[in-house]
Amino acid sequence: MGVASSIFWGLVTLSFLVFIHEGGHFLAARACGMRVTEFYLGMPCRLKLFHKSRKYGTEVGVTPILLGGYTRICGMDGKPGPEAADILWCIQKHGRATVDEICEEVGCSADAAYAILAILVDWASIEPYYNPDLGEHEGQRDWPQAFQTVRRDARLLTEYDRASDFAQEGATEAGEARLPEVDAASFLENEKSRTYLGHGFWARFFCLIAGPAINVIFAILVVVAGLSIAGVDVSVNQNTIGTVMAGSLAEKSGLQAGDTVEAVNGTAVTDWQTLVEALSPVLSSGEDFTLTIERDGTESEVAVDQDESSPATALGITAPTQKVHLTVGQSIRASFAYAKEVADAALSLIRPSQTMEVLNESTSVMGISVMASEAADEGAWELMEFMAMISMSLGFMNLLPIPPLDGGKIVIEIGQAIARRDLPQKAQIGLTYVGLAFFLFVFVFVLRNDILRFVVG
């Protein structure tokens, strides 16, 4: 049951945080007028459950590989070749055409045609046509032999475009021929303008940063609400025992929460600070000592027997606490201070002198699942606070300047804007592989630590 609980609450926590993260990318892309074809919980997989949104055209669903999520924004997978305008025009003219027919009409190789067709499919400007008579089907590894037009309304808008209206006359279905009233180059440029590639630096930056920003904003809102509404337990400087730790020297001696310690070996104590100061020398000596306590209005002495061969470092008691509700202003300042600490911890991961230290203190999906289950057992608010902590970490981790993270993509966009030219696709792919190798190492390392911590013990 413990394993099942950990898996369940781990999935709930990570799925929710991935959902709001990808939701940030989705909403930002839609706000900028970019086409978004897929919005999924889970990594890309042939097996998937989804619903196609009538309003946005986007497939919203879930895959079995619940280790993340993705939003497919059109135009993030490279630039089309010089024959792109003619190939798109050819398909618009015929409604449906095989690659051989396209190559013959446009005058290009099959490899060049497939490369351009793949990008036009990614733009949602055309779609593959799977011919059942040839044994073709959706989800197959290879592209089919033919491609066709997509559904467009009277203004040539697709179902993924804002303001599309298929109720008006003049709409055409997928596979129907339809030539635009502009030339081929202008039509291609119009299609490009509705993709990530066709937007400027600030729109791209907004789309990339929106996911991490949502995670951080969610965490800040939860922290502010927690400190202001739910309140926070603050230690009180009183010589009354707040809690007694299980298995501690205090529990073995018979001490209880609520006991007021009046003296340690005859030395009077008046608050928690003086209690700690009086306990320190007697604990370090390893000798037995007595505590004078008051319980339910009655004063008595408690004998504390230590193991002289192994002196205790602590008695095993905590100070009493009281619930304090911060003002909204105080809560906001506290949440930003916490965000700064998390951001600094994330940056420490890429500081070579601190990387291993950070990894040793980090946890994997396994650790998050175990802690999520423990938080859920404590209550709904404790689970929300835990989600906020993970969300804050997820947001800042995604801003690290390492492809394929959002931060790495932002750095590439900044570099391209400064240089005023695009980084070659091969170079971007190479950087992505390096980043993936680094995070594979991180994943294996922290998973090993969690197995030793939670399984081996």
Side-chain angles (χ1 to χ4, degrees):
M1 288 299 294
V3 172
S5 176
S6 296
I7 293 173
F8 175 77
W9 288 112
L11 287 176
V12 169
T13 297
L14 292 174
S15 296
F16 174 75
L17 297 181
V18 168
F19 175 80
I20 63 173
H21 177 94
E22 296 301 331
H25 291 310
F26 172 80
L27 293 175
R30 290 290 304 181
C32 293
M34 300 178 191
R35 294 171 179 169
V36 183
T37 56
E38 297 180 15
F39 179 94
Y40 275 87
L41 283 178
M43 304 306 290
C45 178
R46 293 181 185 179
L47 299 175
K48 54 188 179 181
L49 294 174
F50 67 89
H51 167 74
K52 194 173 182 67
S53 168
R54 292 184 178 180
K55 184 176 182 180
Y56 303 117
T58 308
E59 286 185 8
V60 181
V62 61
T63 75
I65 312 175
L66 291 172
L67 295 175
Y70 67 95
T71 301
R72 193 174 298 281
I73 302 173
C74 296
M76 297 189 75
D77 292 333
K79 287 186 173 182
E83 301 92 350
D86 292 334
I87 289 177
L88 178 59
W89 191 265
C90 173
I91 294 175
Q92 287 295 136
K93 181 172 67 175
H94 297 288
R96 182 180 299 148
T98 66
V99 174
D100 290 340
E101 292 169 342
I102 292 170
C103 290
E104 183 179 351
E105 184 168 322
V106 175
C108 66
S109 67
D111 288 343
Y114 270 118
I116 292 171
L117 288 165
I119 289 176
L120 292 176
V121 169
D122 176 63
W123 286 13
S125 297
I126 61 172
E127 64 184 28
Y129 171 69
Y130 297 97
N131 189 341
D133 295 335
L134 299 177
E136 296 174 340
H137 58 87
E138 279 193 66
Q140 65 183 40
R141 292 183 178 275
D142 302 322
W143 288 112
Q145 294 186 24
F147 293 80
Q148 65 182 12
T149 57
V150 296
R151 292 179 66 222
R152 293 182 183 272
D153 69 4
R155 294 175 295 169
L156 282 173
L157 298 177
T158 72
E159 59 185 333
Y160 305 106
D161 296 321
R162 288 188 301 176
S164 60
D165 185 1
F166 288 88
Q168 296 180 1
E169 291 185 7
T172 50
E173 295 299 319
E176 291 187 28
R178 182 178 177 184
L179 282 177
E181 296 180 358
V182 296
D183 58 38
S186 298
F187 182 54
L188 179 69
E189 195 62 28
N190 183 63
E191 290 295 290
K192 178 182 175 182
S193 70
R194 303 182 185 282
T195 69
Y196 178 87
L197 182 65
H199 284 73
F201 169 77
W202 289 112
R204 296 184 189 185
F205 177 82
F206 178 50
C207 286
L208 292 174
I209 204 170
I214 287 293
N215 283 125
V216 174
I217 291 170
F218 166 76
I220 288 175
L221 290 176
V222 172
V223 171
V224 170
L227 296 177
S228 299
I229 300 173
V232 59
D233 290 327
V234 177
S235 297
V236 179
N237 189 27
Q238 296 176 355
N239 51 323
T240 299
I241 298 175
T243 59
V244 175
M245 299 178 185
S248 65
L249 188 60
E251 185 184 55
K252 294 175 182 178
S253 303
L255 292 173
Q256 299 178 10
D259 290 346
T260 299
V261 182
E262 297 181 335
V264 178
N265 260 0
T267 302
V269 296
T270 57
D271 54 28
W272 190 259
Q273 183 176 350
T274 56
L275 173 59
V276 172
E277 291 172 353
L279 282 172
S280 181
V282 295
L283 286 171
S284 60
S285 70
E287 298 177 357
D288 300 342
F289 60 94
T290 60
L291 297 176
T292 304
I293 67 167
E294 180 187 328
R295 179 185 297 168
D296 299 329
T298 303
E299 187 177 285
S300 61
E301 286 195 351
V302 174
V304 181
D305 298 328
Q306 293 200 78
D307 183 354
E308 295 183 6
S309 63
S310 178
T313 56
L315 184 58
I317 59 176
T318 63
T321 60
Q322 67 179 21
K323 190 74 71 175
V324 175
H325 297 271
L326 276 62
T327 65
V328 173
Q330 291 172 329
S331 298
I332 291 174
R333 286 193 293 272
S335 66
F336 275 91
Y338 173 62
K340 182 178 180 300
E341 291 180 6
V342 175
D344 186 65
L347 284 173
S348 297
L349 184 63
I350 57 174
R351 295 179 187 137
S353 62
Q354 297 175 292
T355 299
M356 297 310 297
E357 179 184 349
V358 173
L359 289 181
N360 282 322
E361 296 174 355
S362 300
T363 189
S364 68
V365 174
M366 176 187 289
I368 291 172
S369 298
V370 172
M371 289 185 283
S373 177
E374 292 173 351
D377 287 341
E378 293 178 13
W381 188 251
E382 285 74 11
L383 178 62
M384 285 294 292
E385 290 179 329
F386 176 75
M387 283 186 174
M389 179 184 71
I390 300 301
S391 185
M392 185 80 78
S393 299
L394 179 64
F396 283 114
M397 282 291 294
N398 264 282
L399 288 176
L400 290 177
I402 305 173
L405 299 180
D406 296 321
K409 295 175 183 177
I410 289 172
V411 169
I412 290 175
E413 291 292 347
I414 292 173
Q416 291 180 154
I418 294 174
R420 296 187 178 180
R421 59 183 181 136
D422 293 339
L423 184 69
Q425 192 69 16
K426 287 185 178 180
Q428 293 191 38
I429 293 173
L431 290 173
T432 298
Y433 282 142
V434 171
L436 286 172
F438 173 72
F439 282 106
L440 178 61
F441 163 73
V442 169
F443 176 80
V444 172
F445 188 90
V446 297
L447 180 61
R448 170 186 171 275
N449 285 351
D450 281 346
I451 291 173
L452 293 176
R453 185 182 303 129
F454 297 110
V455 179
V456 178

